[in-house]
Amino acid sequence: MLFSDHPRTHYGNAPAHEVICQLRFPTILTINNVEPADFQEAIRDVFPQYARRQDVPAPKITGVGGPNMQVERQAPITNYHFLSADGRWKLNLTKDFIALSTLGYSCWEDFAHHLDKALAAFIQIYKPAYFQRVGLRYVNIFSRVKLGLEDVSWAELFAAAYASALAEPDLREEDCLALGTDLQLKLDNSCRAKIHAGLARIQNKAPNAPQDNELKFILDMDLSMGGNVPCTMAAGALETLHIHGGRLFEGAVTDRLRQAMEPR
């Protein structure tokens, strides 16, 4: 089953690599043109580091297939970065969205705690009309070496919907050069999920960095709620997405993998 009612569990050896929350709102031009000093002051105790970057959007192409096709350059977008002291939590603010991401995810309550104050300050200072899209993304990377499962097949660790061809008895894992499953699901009347699951080697792009050649399993879940979500309902929307994400995660893993992740 894709969705599981397995009780919510905290794992001591959790695979969460990065968790990202993004809330998109109707464009607020002030954010692009004026330094967010008041906003920084409101969150500076949690996010003391600050940087500003100019992002250049991809060109807009119009008239494709016709005689007057045009490529229009887009104006740069100012992206404000606010980082925690240890650099593991990052808050981004642009004229179109506010986002929180972390490489140090431990549990939903901790993530929500980091978001609550920043989101409340943003709503108070900039007064967005509503949120057009509320998104929550979990990027999970499973390492059999880290989990002590080097001799266990992926097909024993993941549900058939995600292990796909690896569950076939006549396919040896070492003969599988690539594997990927992509799903787009309707979760309820307003929520959707885009899921990618598959094998990959994680490359370290830093200069002269040592490379890890272990083949890992990726479970990337991008959950979203559309429509015009009132600002007062943003926290509830994220909680709903978190619950959906938990059911999908538990539906993807087997009991063998759960035990290796050290349930608490």
Side-chain angles (χ1 to χ4, degrees):
M1 296 179 66
L2 283 179
F3 301 91
S4 172
D5 291 325
H6 187 277
R8 184 188 172 196
T9 305
H10 293 285
Y11 294 104
N13 203 359
H17 170 70
E18 185 173 18
V19 178
I20 308 157
C21 165
Q22 185 194 72
L23 299 99
R24 302 193 68 90
F25 47 83
T27 299
I28 301 175
L29 294 176
T30 304
I31 296 174
N32 209 49
N33 301 323
V34 180
E35 294 275 351
D38 290 344
F39 181 68
Q40 183 199 30
E41 196 59 31
I43 63 170
R44 193 158 53 88
D45 58 331
V46 181
F47 300 95
Q49 301 184 69
Y50 169 76
R52 172 179 170 170
R53 189 179 73 192
Q54 293 295 111
D55 293 339
V56 180
K60 180 179 180 182
I61 302 176
T62 58
V64 177
N68 299 312
M69 187 180 78
Q70 295 183 342
V71 179
E72 302 176 5
R73 293 184 178 276
Q74 302 296 295
I77 297 174
T78 304
N79 193 331
Y80 302 103
H81 296 237
F82 306 89
L83 280 80
S84 61
D86 61 7
R88 295 181 65 82
W89 293 83
K90 180 172 67 174
L91 190 69
N92 288 84
L93 177 64
T94 77
K95 64 183 179 64
D96 300 308
F97 70 80
I98 182 171
L100 175 68
S101 62
T102 183
L103 296 172
Y105 185 86
S106 59
C107 67
W108 173 248
E109 288 76 12
D110 183 45
F111 188 88
H113 175 73
H114 277 81
L115 179 64
D116 283 347
K117 185 175 182 179
L119 185 58
F122 167 76
I123 293 172
Q124 180 181 6
I125 293 169
Y126 292 104
K127 299 177 175 58
Y130 46 80
F131 292 111
Q132 298 161 309
R133 182 184 186 274
V134 178
L136 185 61
R137 182 179 179 185
Y138 296 92
V139 181
N140 300 287
I141 301 179
F142 296 83
S143 164
R144 286 187 293 195
V145 172
K146 181 179 177 181
L147 292 167
L149 297 170
E150 294 96 323
D151 298 325
V152 182
S153 69
W154 290 119
E156 294 181 64
L157 303 178
F158 290 93
Y162 301 102
S164 59
L166 292 175
E168 298 300 325
D170 60 344
L171 176 65
R172 299 187 308 167
E173 278 191 13
E174 56 267 32
D175 294 335
C176 186
L177 302 179
L179 174 79
T181 300
D182 292 282
L183 301 172
Q184 294 192 36
L185 304 173
K186 179 179 179 181
L187 302 175
D188 57 35
N189 289 335
S190 59
C191 297
R192 303 289 185 272
K194 292 176 63 177
I195 304 171
H196 171 77
L199 300 177
R201 285 183 171 86
I202 310 303
Q203 294 185 340
N204 190 334
K205 297 182 179 180
N208 302 317
Q211 297 299 318
D212 180 1
N213 291 320
E214 183 194 358
L215 196 62
K216 296 179 171 65
F217 197 95
I218 311 298
L219 179 62
D220 185 345
M221 304 185 300
D222 189 356
L223 308 121
S224 64
M225 180 181 291
N228 298 340
V229 179
C231 294
T232 54
M233 298 296 291
L238 286 168
E239 180 67 27
T240 296
L241 295 176
H242 163 64
I243 292 171
H244 283 308
R247 296 186 66 218
L248 283 166
F249 180 88
E250 292 294 344
V253 302
T254 65
D255 287 339
R256 181 74 181 272
L257 181 51
R258 287 191 186 96
Q259 289 305 312
M261 290 190 293
E262 300 176 2
R264 295 176 176 175

